[in-house]
Amino acid sequence: MARPKKDGKRATGIQGKSGRLYVVIAQNAVKDGIKKAEKKWVATGLADTPDNVKKAVEIRKKLLNNKEALTADRNVTVAEYTDLFLNRKKREISDTTYSSYYYKSKRIKEYFGAIKVRDVNEVIVENFLDNLFEEHHVQQRTVKDLKVLLGGIFEQAVKEGIIAYNPVKEVLINKGLAIKYSKERNTDEEFFSYEEAQHFLGKMKDHELYELFYLTLFFGLRREEILGLRWSAIDFKDMTLAINHTVTRGMTVNRANTTKTSSSAREYPLTEEQIEMFNQLKKKEDANRKLFGNGYQDNDYIFKHADGTLYYPDYPSKIFSKLIKKMPELPQGITFHGLRSSCVSILVHQGMDVKSIQKWVGHADIDTTLRIYAKVKDKESKREISETMKGIIQLKDYTEE
């Protein structure tokens, strides 16, 4: 039996210890206000073999070449490092995206807690992903999103020299658990058909949000776009409507003169009936302004409460959900965002081409338009085949029984 190697130097900046290889880099650190030179040991995760020494040398080169390397404590916990990661991300992502990261990170911090970043391996990551299914019964999409976020956190730790490799990178999501805990979902219920949309609007004629629902459906607007509509966006003379302002919810409610993507900034022609609708909404607003007097909250937004206070971003979604539950004849799986997809459904039904539909609703990626287009066509073709088969394959007359 071969005797274990003695601890010691294997190459420049590479040390062997207890049968494992470490990268050792000299650095300056400030402690108690005093600058001191110290050596930083970075675990490579590699066994102490001649072949692995070469790999360790390459790891050391990457660490030295990275400008962001060696800025964090190697004893930092996953919870602490996740917060550091999010604080950095604030500078490069929108508030809405940051809010999504923030709430997802709670699951990461809750599970890993005081475990040190350098102590996390593939098995621990696998257990975390499995736990999301088994304990929290989340859907596969959520697990994927959390894996991406966790992978980003550990990739940053690699860049900073805290760890030598990313333990999240090669971990796979357990397909068996994903299937076991997946909720049944009928993809045909994500948007209205032409007939269902007509039925819905017919039921909404006397509702306070009728015009909001109508415009969302007619133009295929996003929630942040319909809530961001202002009177200044309407040109009553040229009869146009501009989409150039959005209202989103992140850590706070954000109102900005920007749209989700460059293709989202668009202008629509308005019909005479739509101009009249806006005139009526303006008269209603003027009446409310007089009614509430000094208590009226004056602003340029079109859709708001009677006293002028602005809708919270979730308001139309919650109202829509309650209304749908009272209409069992309509798809119960549809959400407010489904009105946007319903616009695409109607345009497909009317024979519009995919490129025109994409420009109308402001999809940045034509694949999104094609996905909805395919669903609509599939649904319509199945209905046609069913009608055809009904005429060919005769069923006995059950009324006689």
Side-chain angles (χ1 to χ4, degrees):
M1 184 175 177
R3 297 172 66 183
K5 287 186 177 182
K6 292 182 179 181
D7 295 347
K9 183 177 179 181
R10 302 290 182 259
T12 302
I14 306 299
Q15 289 279 342
K17 186 177 180 181
S18 300
R20 313 298 289 179
L21 292 174
Y22 294 81
V23 173
V24 182
I25 300 176
Q27 64 174 4
N28 292 318
V30 178
K31 291 185 178 180
D32 300 324
I34 302 173
K35 188 175 181 180
K36 295 181 178 180
E38 62 177 29
K39 290 183 178 180
K40 185 176 184 70
W41 285 59
V42 181
T44 66
L46 301 172
D48 188 0
T49 66
D51 287 340
N52 284 340
V53 169
K54 296 177 182 178
K55 294 179 182 178
V57 169
E58 291 302 312
I59 289 173
R60 181 175 182 273
K61 285 180 181 178
K62 289 180 181 179
L63 292 175
L64 290 174
N65 290 335
N66 196 294
K67 294 179 181 179
E68 295 183 83
L70 312 174
T71 60
D73 179 7
R74 279 197 70 238
N75 292 315
V76 68
T77 67
V78 175
E80 292 168 338
Y81 196 71
T82 297
D83 286 335
L84 290 171
F85 176 83
L86 291 178
N87 284 332
R88 285 179 182 154
K89 278 293 177 182
K90 273 186 180 179
R91 299 171 59 87
E92 56 187 87
I93 58 178
S94 68
D95 183 64
T96 306
T97 304
Y98 174 78
S99 175
S100 173
Y101 281 11
Y102 176 81
Y103 289 108
K104 286 186 176 74
S105 72
K106 286 187 174 183
R107 290 194 186 275
I108 293 174
K109 292 193 290 183
E110 178 185 318
Y111 184 86
F112 289 93
I115 299 176
K116 294 177 182 178
V117 171
R118 61 187 174 91
D119 291 335
V120 176
N121 55 37
E122 286 92 343
V123 174
I124 295 175
V125 174
E126 284 179 355
N127 290 339
F128 166 63
L129 299 181
D130 290 352
N131 177 266
L132 291 170
F133 286 120
E134 296 170 329
E135 295 296 323
H136 302 284
H137 297 177
V138 303
Q139 298 300 287
Q140 185 174 357
R141 174 63 183 271
T142 302
V143 177
K144 283 182 178 179
D145 289 345
L146 279 162
K147 180 177 181 286
V148 169
L149 176 57
L150 186 64
I153 292 169
F154 277 86
E155 194 60 38
Q156 183 63 36
V158 171
K159 291 178 180 180
E160 294 191 342
I162 299 172
I163 52 177
Y165 76 105
N166 186 343
V168 184
K169 211 166 189 178
E170 302 301 324
V171 172
L172 300 176
I173 293 173
N174 189 316
K175 289 292 183 183
L177 292 177
I179 294 170
K180 180 180 179 180
Y181 291 101
S182 65
K183 294 178 181 177
E184 291 185 12
R185 186 181 180 91
N186 187 341
T187 54
D188 287 338
E189 292 182 353
E190 293 177 354
F191 50 82
F192 288 145
S193 66
Y194 170 76
E195 295 81 7
E196 289 165 343
Q198 296 298 324
H199 179 76
F200 173 74
L201 286 180
K203 290 269 191 177
M204 291 294 101
K205 284 185 178 179
D206 297 324
H207 195 277
E208 63 165 333
L209 295 184
Y210 168 77
E211 290 84 5
L212 184 148
F213 291 143
Y214 165 82
L215 290 170
T216 302
L217 187 58
F218 190 95
F219 296 111
L221 302 180
R222 298 175 177 89
R223 185 178 71 179
E224 60 263 31
E225 294 170 346
I226 189 69
L227 291 177
L229 284 184
R230 299 173 297 172
W231 291 113
S232 56
I234 300 175
D235 189 323
F236 286 88
K237 182 180 178 181
D238 291 337
M239 298 175 62
T240 59
L241 170 65
I243 305 300
N244 54 22
H245 185 85
T246 56
V247 176
T248 57
R249 180 178 65 86
M251 300 303 287
T252 59
V253 176
N254 302 291
R255 305 176 188 278
N257 295 322
T258 57
T259 53
K260 186 175 181 181
T261 63
S262 58
S263 59
S264 300
R266 53 205 190 277
E267 186 177 271
Y268 292 109
L270 294 173
T271 65
E272 291 183 0
E273 292 81 6
Q274 289 166 344
I275 289 293
E276 181 57 31
M277 177 194 71
F278 282 116
N279 279 325
Q280 292 300 320
L281 285 174
K282 191 66 174 173
K283 289 179 181 179
K284 184 178 177 181
E285 181 181 304
D286 291 339
N288 285 332
R289 186 178 286 106
K290 291 179 181 179
L291 177 65
F292 285 91
N294 293 334
Y296 187 82
Q297 303 293 314
D298 221 342
N299 57 74
D300 193 38
Y301 290 94
I302 296 174
F303 295 111
K304 51 202 171 190
H305 294 290
D307 65 354
T309 55
L310 302 176
Y311 291 149
Y312 196 71
D314 288 343
Y315 181 70
S317 301
K318 290 180 179 178
I319 295 295
F320 181 81
S321 179
K322 290 178 181 178
L323 289 169
I324 288 298
K325 289 178 181 177
K326 295 178 181 179
M327 302 181 198
E329 69 276 16
L330 292 177
Q332 293 301 294
I334 191 171
T335 63
F336 180 76
H337 186 76
L339 290 177
R340 174 167 163 78
S341 299
S342 300
C343 175
V344 177
S345 170
I346 293 168
L347 293 174
V348 172
H349 180 82
Q350 296 301 316
M352 298 297 295
D353 66 274
V354 176
K355 195 66 182 176
S356 297
I357 296 173
Q358 180 197 9
K359 290 181 178 179
W360 181 263
V361 298
H363 280 153
D365 189 346
I366 198 170
D367 287 344
T368 304
T369 315
L370 286 169
R371 177 175 52 79
I372 301 172
Y373 184 94
K375 286 183 180 179
V376 176
K377 284 297 183 183
D378 179 61
K379 191 173 182 178
E380 291 185 348
S381 64
K382 285 178 179 176
R383 187 180 293 115
E384 290 174 5
I385 292 173
S386 178
E387 289 299 319
T388 301
M389 290 298 287
K390 186 172 71 174
I392 298 173
I393 309 297
Q394 296 293 328
L395 188 65
K396 75 175 184 177
D397 189 355
Y398 283 92
T399 59
E400 296 178 356
E401 300 180 7

Coordinates of all heavy atoms in Angstrom, one line a residue, residues 273-333:
E273 N -64.7 55.6 -31.9 CA -65.4 55.1 -30.8 C -64.5 55.1 -29.5 O -64.9 55.4 -28.4 CB -65.9 53.6 -31.0 CG -67.0 53.5 -32.0 CD -66.5 53.5 -33.5 OE1 -65.2 53.5 -33.7 OE2 -67.3 53.5 -34.4
Q274 N -63.2 54.8 -29.8 CA -62.2 54.8 -28.6 C -62.0 56.2 -28.2 O -61.8 56.4 -27.0 CB -61.0 54.1 -29.1 CG -61.1 52.6 -29.2 CD -60.0 51.9 -29.9 OE1 -59.2 52.6 -30.6 NE2 -59.9 50.6 -29.8
I275 N -61.9 57.1 -29.1 CA -61.7 58.5 -28.7 C -62.9 59.0 -27.8 O -62.8 59.7 -26.8 CB -61.6 59.4 -29.9 CG1 -60.2 59.2 -30.6 CG2 -61.8 60.9 -29.6 CD1 -59.0 59.7 -29.8
E276 N -64.1 58.6 -28.2 CA -65.3 58.9 -27.4 C -65.3 58.3 -26.1 O -65.7 58.9 -25.1 CB -66.6 58.5 -28.2 CG -67.9 58.8 -27.5 CD -68.1 60.3 -27.2 OE1 -67.5 61.1 -27.9 OE2 -68.7 60.6 -26.1
M277 N -64.8 57.1 -26.0 CA -64.6 56.4 -24.7 C -63.7 57.2 -23.8 O -64.0 57.4 -22.6 CB -64.0 55.0 -24.9 CG -63.8 54.2 -23.6 SD -62.7 52.7 -23.9 CE -61.1 53.5 -24.2
F278 N -62.6 57.6 -24.3 CA -61.6 58.4 -23.5 C -62.2 59.8 -23.1 O -62.0 60.3 -22.0 CB -60.3 58.6 -24.3 CG -59.4 57.4 -24.3 CD1 -59.1 56.8 -25.5 CD2 -58.9 57.0 -23.1 CE1 -58.2 55.7 -25.4 CE2 -58.0 55.9 -23.1 CZ -57.7 55.2 -24.2
N279 N -63.0 60.4 -24.0 CA -63.7 61.6 -23.6 C -64.6 61.4 -22.4 O -64.7 62.2 -21.5 CB -64.5 62.2 -24.8 CG -63.6 62.9 -25.8 OD1 -62.6 63.6 -25.4 ND2 -63.9 62.8 -27.1
Q280 N -65.3 60.3 -22.5 CA -66.2 60.0 -21.4 C -65.5 59.7 -20.1 O -65.9 60.1 -19.0 CB -67.1 58.8 -21.7 CG -68.1 59.0 -22.8 CD -69.1 60.1 -22.5 OE1 -69.6 60.2 -21.4 NE2 -69.4 61.0 -23.5
L281 N -64.3 59.0 -20.2 CA -63.5 58.8 -19.0 C -63.0 60.1 -18.4 O -62.9 60.3 -17.2 CB -62.3 57.9 -19.3 CG -62.6 56.4 -19.5 CD1 -61.4 55.7 -20.0 CD2 -63.1 55.8 -18.2
K282 N -62.7 61.1 -19.3 CA -62.2 62.4 -18.9 C -63.3 63.1 -18.2 O -63.0 63.8 -17.1 CB -61.7 63.2 -20.1 CG -60.9 64.4 -19.8 CD -59.6 64.1 -19.1 CE -58.8 65.4 -18.9 NZ -57.6 65.1 -18.0
K283 N -64.5 63.1 -18.7 CA -65.6 63.8 -18.0 C -65.9 63.1 -16.6 O -66.2 63.9 -15.7 CB -66.9 63.6 -18.9 CG -66.8 64.5 -20.2 CD -68.1 64.2 -21.0 CE -68.0 65.1 -22.3 NZ -69.3 64.9 -23.1
K284 N -65.8 61.8 -16.6 CA -66.0 61.1 -15.3 C -64.9 61.6 -14.3 O -65.2 61.8 -13.1 CB -65.9 59.6 -15.5 CG -66.2 58.8 -14.3 CD -66.1 57.3 -14.6 CE -66.3 56.5 -13.4 NZ -66.3 55.0 -13.7
E285 N -63.7 61.7 -14.7 CA -62.6 62.2 -13.9 C -62.8 63.6 -13.4 O -62.6 63.9 -12.2 CB -61.3 62.1 -14.6 CG -60.1 62.5 -13.7 CD -58.7 62.5 -14.5 OE1 -58.4 61.4 -15.0 OE2 -58.1 63.5 -14.6
D286 N -63.3 64.5 -14.3 CA -63.6 65.9 -13.9 C -64.7 65.9 -12.9 O -64.6 66.7 -11.9 CB -64.0 66.7 -15.1 CG -62.8 66.9 -16.1 OD1 -61.6 66.8 -15.7 OD2 -63.1 67.1 -17.3
A287 N -65.7 65.1 -13.0 CA -66.8 65.0 -12.1 C -66.3 64.6 -10.7 O -66.7 65.1 -9.6 CB -67.9 64.1 -12.6
N288 N -65.4 63.6 -10.7 CA -64.8 63.1 -9.4 C -64.0 64.1 -8.7 O -63.9 64.3 -7.5 CB -64.0 61.8 -9.6 CG -64.9 60.6 -9.9 OD1 -66.0 60.5 -9.4 ND2 -64.3 59.6 -10.6
R289 N -63.3 64.9 -9.5 CA -62.4 66.0 -9.0 C -63.2 67.0 -8.3 O -62.9 67.5 -7.2 CB -61.6 66.6 -10.1 CG -60.6 67.6 -9.7 CD -59.8 68.2 -10.8 NE -58.8 67.3 -11.3 CZ -58.9 66.6 -12.5 NH1 -60.0 66.8 -13.3 NH2 -58.0 65.8 -12.9
K290 N -64.4 67.4 -8.8 CA -65.3 68.3 -8.2 C -65.9 67.7 -6.9 O -66.1 68.3 -5.9 CB -66.4 68.7 -9.1 CG -65.9 69.6 -10.3 CD -67.0 70.0 -11.2 CE -66.5 70.8 -12.4 NZ -67.6 71.2 -13.3
L291 N -66.3 66.4 -7.0 CA -66.9 65.7 -5.9 C -66.1 65.6 -4.7 O -66.5 65.9 -3.6 CB -67.4 64.3 -6.4 CG -68.0 63.4 -5.3 CD1 -69.4 64.0 -4.9 CD2 -68.2 62.0 -5.9
F292 N -64.8 65.3 -4.9 CA -63.9 65.1 -3.7 C -63.2 66.4 -3.3 O -62.6 66.4 -2.2 CB -62.8 64.0 -4.1 CG -63.4 62.6 -4.0 CD1 -63.9 62.1 -5.2 CD2 -63.4 61.9 -2.9 CE1 -64.5 60.8 -5.2 CE2 -64.0 60.6 -2.8 CZ -64.5 60.0 -4.0
G293 N -63.2 67.4 -4.2 CA -62.6 68.7 -3.8 C -61.1 68.6 -3.4 O -60.3 68.0 -4.2
N294 N -60.8 69.1 -2.3 CA -59.4 69.1 -1.8 C -58.9 67.7 -1.5 O -57.7 67.5 -1.4 CB -59.2 70.0 -0.6 CG -59.5 71.5 -0.9 OD1 -59.3 71.9 -2.0 ND2 -59.9 72.2 0.1
G295 N -59.8 66.8 -1.4 CA -59.4 65.4 -1.1 C -59.0 64.6 -2.3 O -58.6 63.5 -2.2
Y296 N -59.2 65.3 -3.5 CA -58.8 64.6 -4.7 C -57.3 64.6 -5.0 O -56.7 65.6 -4.8 CB -59.5 65.2 -5.9 CG -59.4 64.4 -7.2 CD1 -60.2 63.4 -7.5 CD2 -58.4 64.8 -8.1 CE1 -60.1 62.6 -8.7 CE2 -58.3 64.1 -9.3 CZ -59.1 63.0 -9.6 OH -59.0 62.3 -10.7
Q297 N -56.8 63.4 -5.3 CA -55.3 63.3 -5.6 C -55.1 63.5 -7.1 O -55.3 62.6 -7.9 CB -54.8 61.9 -5.2 CG -55.1 61.5 -3.7 CD -54.2 62.4 -2.8 OE1 -53.1 62.6 -3.0 NE2 -54.9 62.9 -1.8
D298 N -54.7 64.7 -7.5 CA -54.5 65.0 -8.9 C -53.3 64.4 -9.5 O -52.2 64.4 -8.9 CB -54.5 66.5 -9.1 CG -55.3 67.0 -10.3 OD1 -55.6 66.1 -11.1 OD2 -55.6 68.2 -10.3
N299 N -53.4 63.8 -10.7 CA -52.3 63.2 -11.4 C -52.8 63.0 -12.8 O -53.9 63.2 -13.2 CB -51.9 61.9 -10.8 CG -53.0 60.9 -10.7 OD1 -53.5 60.3 -11.6 ND2 -53.6 60.7 -9.4
D300 N -51.8 62.5 -13.7 CA -52.1 62.4 -15.1 C -52.5 61.0 -15.5 O -52.8 60.8 -16.7 CB -50.8 62.8 -15.9 CG -51.0 63.0 -17.4 OD1 -52.1 63.5 -17.7 OD2 -50.2 62.6 -18.2
Y301 N -52.6 60.1 -14.6 CA -52.9 58.7 -14.9 C -54.4 58.6 -15.3 O -55.3 59.2 -14.6 CB -52.5 57.7 -13.8 CG -51.0 57.6 -13.6 CD1 -50.3 58.4 -12.7 CD2 -50.3 56.7 -14.4 CE1 -49.0 58.3 -12.6 CE2 -49.0 56.5 -14.3 CZ -48.3 57.3 -13.4 OH -46.9 57.2 -13.3
I302 N -54.7 57.7 -16.2 CA -56.1 57.5 -16.6 C -56.9 56.6 -15.7 O -58.0 56.9 -15.3 CB -56.1 56.9 -18.1 CG1 -55.5 58.0 -19.1 CG2 -57.6 56.6 -18.5 CD1 -55.4 57.4 -20.5
F303 N -56.3 55.5 -15.3 CA -56.9 54.5 -14.5 C -56.5 54.6 -13.0 O -55.4 54.4 -12.7 CB -56.7 53.1 -15.0 CG -57.3 52.9 -16.4 CD1 -56.5 52.7 -17.5 CD2 -58.7 52.8 -16.6 CE1 -57.1 52.5 -18.8 CE2 -59.2 52.7 -17.8 CZ -58.4 52.5 -18.9
K304 N -57.5 54.9 -12.2 CA -57.3 55.2 -10.8 C -58.6 55.1 -10.0 O -59.7 55.0 -10.6 CB -56.6 56.5 -10.6 CG -57.4 57.7 -11.3 CD -56.5 58.8 -11.5 CE -57.1 59.9 -12.4 NZ -56.2 60.9 -12.8
H305 N -58.5 55.2 -8.7 CA -59.7 55.2 -7.9 C -60.5 56.5 -8.1 O -59.9 57.5 -8.6 CB -59.4 55.0 -6.4 CG -58.8 53.6 -6.2 ND1 -59.6 52.4 -6.2 CD2 -57.6 53.2 -5.8 CE1 -58.8 51.4 -5.9 NE2 -57.6 51.8 -5.7
A306 N -61.7 56.5 -7.6 CA -62.6 57.7 -7.8 C -62.0 59.0 -7.2 O -62.1 60.1 -7.7 CB -64.0 57.5 -7.2
D307 N -61.2 58.8 -6.1 CA -60.6 60.0 -5.4 C -59.3 60.4 -6.0 O -58.6 61.2 -5.4 CB -60.5 59.8 -3.9 CG -59.6 58.7 -3.5 OD1 -59.1 57.9 -4.5 OD2 -59.4 58.4 -2.3
G308 N -58.9 59.7 -7.1 CA -57.6 60.0 -7.7 C -56.4 59.2 -7.3 O -55.4 59.3 -7.9
T309 N -56.6 58.5 -6.2 CA -55.4 57.7 -5.7 C -55.2 56.6 -6.7 O -56.1 56.0 -7.3 CB -55.7 57.1 -4.3 OG1 -56.9 56.3 -4.3 CG2 -55.8 58.1 -3.2
L310 N -53.9 56.2 -6.9 CA -53.6 55.3 -7.9 C -53.8 53.9 -7.5 O -53.6 53.5 -6.4 CB -52.1 55.6 -8.3 CG -51.8 57.0 -8.8 CD1 -50.3 57.1 -9.1 CD2 -52.6 57.3 -10.0
Y311 N -54.1 53.1 -8.5 CA -54.2 51.6 -8.3 C -52.9 51.0 -7.9 O -51.9 51.4 -8.5 CB -54.7 50.9 -9.5 CG -56.1 51.2 -10.0 CD1 -56.5 51.2 -11.3 CD2 -57.1 51.5 -9.0 CE1 -57.8 51.4 -11.7 CE2 -58.4 51.8 -9.4 CZ -58.7 51.7 -10.8 OH -60.0 52.0 -11.2
Y312 N -52.9 50.1 -6.9 CA -51.7 49.4 -6.6 C -51.6 48.4 -7.8 O -52.6 47.9 -8.3 CB -51.9 48.7 -5.3 CG -50.6 48.1 -4.7 CD1 -49.6 49.0 -4.2 CD2 -50.3 46.8 -4.7 CE1 -48.4 48.6 -3.7 CE2 -49.0 46.3 -4.2 CZ -48.1 47.2 -3.7 OH -46.9 46.8 -3.2
P313 N -50.3 48.1 -8.2 CA -50.1 47.2 -9.4 C -50.9 45.9 -9.3 O -51.3 45.4 -10.4 CB -48.6 47.0 -9.3 CG -48.1 48.2 -8.8 CD -49.0 48.6 -7.7
D314 N -51.2 45.3 -8.2 CA -51.9 44.0 -8.1 C -53.4 44.2 -8.2 O -54.1 43.2 -8.3 CB -51.5 43.3 -6.8 CG -50.1 42.8 -6.8 OD1 -49.5 42.6 -7.8 OD2 -49.6 42.5 -5.7
Y315 N -53.9 45.4 -8.1 CA -55.3 45.6 -8.0 C -56.1 45.0 -9.2 O -57.1 44.2 -8.9 CB -55.6 47.1 -7.9 CG -57.1 47.5 -7.8 CD1 -57.8 47.2 -6.6 CD2 -57.8 48.1 -8.8 CE1 -59.1 47.5 -6.5 CE2 -59.1 48.4 -8.7 CZ -59.8 48.1 -7.5 OH -61.1 48.4 -7.4
P316 N -55.8 45.3 -10.5 CA -56.6 44.7 -11.5 C -56.5 43.2 -11.6 O -57.5 42.6 -12.0 CB -56.0 45.4 -12.8 CG -54.7 45.9 -12.4 CD -54.8 46.2 -11.0
S317 N -55.4 42.7 -11.2 CA -55.2 41.2 -11.2 C -56.1 40.5 -10.2 O -56.8 39.5 -10.5 CB -53.7 40.8 -10.9 OG -52.9 41.4 -11.9
K318 N -56.2 41.1 -9.0 CA -57.1 40.5 -8.0 C -58.5 40.7 -8.4 O -59.3 39.7 -8.1 CB -56.8 41.2 -6.7 CG -55.4 40.9 -6.1 CD -55.2 41.6 -4.8 CE -53.8 41.2 -4.2 NZ -53.5 41.9 -2.9
I319 N -58.9 41.8 -8.9 CA -60.3 42.0 -9.3 C -60.7 41.0 -10.4 O -61.7 40.4 -10.4 CB -60.6 43.4 -9.8 CG1 -60.4 44.4 -8.6 CG2 -61.9 43.6 -10.4 CD1 -61.4 44.3 -7.5
F320 N -59.8 40.8 -11.4 CA -60.0 39.9 -12.5 C -60.2 38.5 -12.0 O -61.1 37.8 -12.4 CB -58.9 40.0 -13.5 CG -59.0 39.1 -14.7 CD1 -59.8 39.5 -15.8 CD2 -58.4 37.9 -14.8 CE1 -60.0 38.7 -16.9 CE2 -58.5 37.1 -15.9 CZ -59.3 37.5 -16.9
S321 N -59.3 38.1 -11.1 CA -59.4 36.7 -10.5 C -60.8 36.5 -9.9 O -61.4 35.4 -10.0 CB -58.3 36.5 -9.5 OG -58.3 35.3 -9.0
K322 N -61.2 37.5 -9.1 CA -62.5 37.3 -8.4 C -63.7 37.2 -9.4 O -64.6 36.5 -9.2 CB -62.8 38.5 -7.5 CG -61.8 38.5 -6.3 CD -62.1 39.7 -5.4 CE -61.2 39.7 -4.2 NZ -61.4 41.0 -3.3
L323 N -63.6 38.0 -10.5 CA -64.6 38.1 -11.5 C -64.7 36.7 -12.2 O -65.8 36.2 -12.5 CB -64.4 39.2 -12.5 CG -64.6 40.6 -12.0 CD1 -64.1 41.6 -13.0 CD2 -66.1 40.9 -11.7
I324 N -63.6 36.2 -12.6 CA -63.5 34.9 -13.3 C -64.2 33.8 -12.5 O -64.8 32.9 -13.0 CB -62.1 34.5 -13.7 CG1 -61.6 35.5 -14.8 CG2 -62.0 33.1 -14.2 CD1 -62.4 35.4 -16.1
K325 N -63.9 33.8 -11.2 CA -64.5 32.7 -10.3 C -66.0 32.8 -10.3 O -66.7 31.7 -10.1 CB -64.0 32.9 -8.9 CG -62.5 32.5 -8.7 CD -62.0 32.8 -7.3 CE -60.6 32.4 -7.2 NZ -60.1 32.7 -5.8
K326 N -66.6 33.9 -10.7 CA -68.0 34.1 -10.7 C -68.6 33.7 -12.1 O -69.8 33.8 -12.3 CB -68.5 35.5 -10.3 CG -68.1 35.9 -8.9 CD -68.5 37.3 -8.6 CE -68.2 37.7 -7.2 NZ -68.5 39.1 -6.9
M327 N -67.7 33.3 -13.0 CA -68.1 33.0 -14.4 C -67.6 31.6 -14.7 O -66.6 31.4 -15.4 CB -67.5 34.0 -15.4 CG -68.0 35.4 -15.2 SD -67.3 36.5 -16.4 CE -67.5 38.1 -15.6
P328 N -68.2 30.6 -14.2 CA -67.7 29.2 -14.4 C -67.7 28.7 -15.8 O -67.1 27.8 -16.2 CB -68.7 28.3 -13.6 CG -69.9 29.2 -13.4 CD -69.4 30.6 -13.3
E329 N -68.5 29.5 -16.7 CA -68.5 29.1 -18.1 C -67.3 29.5 -18.8 O -67.0 29.1 -20.0 CB -69.7 29.8 -18.8 CG -69.7 31.3 -18.9 CD -70.1 32.1 -17.7 OE1 -70.2 31.4 -16.6 OE2 -70.4 33.3 -17.8
L330 N -66.4 30.3 -18.2 CA -65.1 30.8 -18.8 C -64.0 30.0 -18.2 O -64.1 29.4 -17.1 CB -64.9 32.3 -18.5 CG -65.9 33.2 -19.3 CD1 -65.6 34.7 -18.9 CD2 -65.8 33.0 -20.8
P331 N -62.8 29.9 -18.9 CA -61.7 29.2 -18.4 C -61.2 29.7 -17.0 O -61.0 30.9 -16.8 CB -60.6 29.5 -19.4 CG -61.3 29.8 -20.6 CD -62.5 30.5 -20.2
Q332 N -61.2 28.8 -16.0 CA -60.8 29.2 -14.7 C -59.3 29.3 -14.4 O -58.9 29.8 -13.4 CB -61.4 28.2 -13.7 CG -63.0 28.2 -13.6 CD -63.5 29.6 -13.3 OE1 -63.3 30.0 -12.1 NE2 -64.2 30.2 -14.2
G333 N -58.5 28.9 -15.4 CA -57.1 29.0 -15.3 C -56.5 30.3 -15.8 O -55.3 30.5 -15.6

